[in-house]
Amino acid sequence: MLNGYKYRLHPTSEQADFLVRTIGCARFVYNKLLEDRIAIHEETKAGSGAKRKPPTPASYKPLFPFLAEADSLALANAKLHLDTAFAKFFAGTAGFPVFKSKRKARASYTTNNQHGTIRIEGDRVRLPKVGFIRFTQHRIFDGAIRSATVSMTKTGKFFVSLLVEQDDEPWVPAEHKIGIDLGLGHFAVMTINVNVFMYNFVRLIMLTIAHFISHSLF
C-alpha cells in the first residue's frame, strides 16, 4: 500500500532558488500544454489543415531554454497532472481544466525516484538535480520511496511529501469467540469473565424509568 509522509525542508538559499524555479517551470509547462490543447481543439473544429499532435514538455525546451534547468521529471509530471484533469473532465467528475495562477494555485512540483535519486541519509533528503537538503524527519518509516512532492507556502516555507510503498498490515483473526449478555445488574456480561458496569448516567436513567413505572406515571 502507498502512504504519504510530509516533512519540513530547510534548503540553502541556492537550493531554495532552484526549488522556486522548478515550481515555476512545472506551472509554466502545465499552462502551456493546456493552451496548446485548446488551440488544437479549436483548429480541429475549424477544419484548418491536418490535426497537430499535442506537444510534450521536451518539445518546449528549444523554444524556452530555461526549462532545461528544471527537473525533467517535474515537467513530465506536470503533463500527467493535466492528462488526469482532462480524464476527470471527460468522465464528468470535474470541470474543464483551468490555468494555474502564480498567486492562487498551489505552488508545488512532483518528481520520481529512479534508482535512489530520492533517498534519506541522516538528517538530509536527496532530491533529483538539487541534491541533499536538510529536513526535519519527525516520523520514521520503512518502505520504498516512489515519488516526492515539493511544496512552498505563501510565507516561503518548503515541505516535501514522500509517497512510500509499504507492506500491507497482516490481518490477524480472533482466536476465540466472545459471547455478550446484556442485563440490568451489569451493562454487559461476557463469556471471558469480564463484567462491564453501566455508566452512572445510564444507571440513573434506568432507575428513573423504574420509579415512573412503579408510580404509574406512564
Side-chain angles (χ1 to χ4, degrees):
M1 62 181 175
L2 296 174
N3 293 311
Y5 297 86
K6 187 174 182 179
Y7 305 107
R8 172 79 182 275
L9 290 174
H10 306 285
T12 64
S13 57
E14 184 178 351
Q15 290 172 332
D17 182 62
F18 173 84
L19 298 179
V20 170
R21 283 187 284 113
T22 302
I23 289 172
C25 288
R27 181 176 58 248
F28 175 86
V29 166
Y30 183 97
N31 288 339
K32 188 63 178 171
L33 287 170
L34 177 56
E35 176 187 327
D36 284 343
R37 287 197 184 187
I38 293 174
I40 292 172
H41 177 69
E42 294 299 326
E43 292 171 3
T44 302
K45 283 176 57 179
S48 54
K51 182 179 179 181
R52 288 190 293 136
K53 290 184 178 180
T56 64
S59 66
Y60 289 140
K61 290 184 178 180
L63 298 174
F64 308 101
F66 62 87
L67 293 177
E69 302 175 5
D71 179 1
S72 60
L73 290 174
L75 307 184
N77 278 303
K79 179 181 181 301
L80 290 178
H81 293 162
L82 181 60
D83 291 342
T84 301
F86 269 107
K88 291 181 179 179
F89 167 70
F90 289 120
T93 58
F96 191 83
V98 297
F99 292 99
K100 290 189 176 183
S101 167
K102 183 177 181 180
R103 294 183 178 180
K104 295 182 181 180
R106 180 171 180 257
S108 66
Y109 76 87
T110 298
T111 186
N112 301 95
N113 186 13
Q114 294 185 327
H115 309 293
T117 53
I118 303 175
R119 64 181 185 271
I120 294 173
E121 292 187 9
D123 63 346
R124 301 178 302 164
V125 58
R126 189 191 186 283
L127 298 175
K129 208 161 184 176
V130 65
F132 286 97
I133 302 178
R134 285 196 313 110
F135 80 126
T136 302
Q137 188 179 13
H138 57 281
R139 295 174 63 194
I140 308 297
F141 61 82
D142 292 320
I145 300 174
R146 294 305 179 193
S147 65
T149 298
V150 176
S151 59
M152 182 181 67
T153 66
K154 293 182 179 180
T155 57
K157 295 178 182 178
F158 292 93
F159 294 86
V160 61
S161 297
L162 302 177
L163 188 64
V164 182
E165 185 173 357
Q166 299 175 305
D167 294 333
D168 293 335
E169 295 183 2
W171 177 72
V172 180
E175 295 183 1
H176 305 285
K177 295 182 180 180
I178 300 174
I180 301 176
D181 181 32
L182 301 180
L184 294 177
H186 299 87
F187 181 71
V189 178
M190 301 184 182
T191 55
I192 56 174
N193 295 324
V194 174
N195 297 334
V196 181
F197 293 93
M198 289 187 294
Y199 290 104
N200 290 335
F201 72 91
V202 177
R203 182 181 294 274
L204 178 61
I205 292 175
M206 297 292 290
L207 292 174
T208 302
I209 294 175
H211 174 78
F212 284 161
I213 293 176
S214 64
H215 287 79
S216 299
L217 295 179
F218 279 166

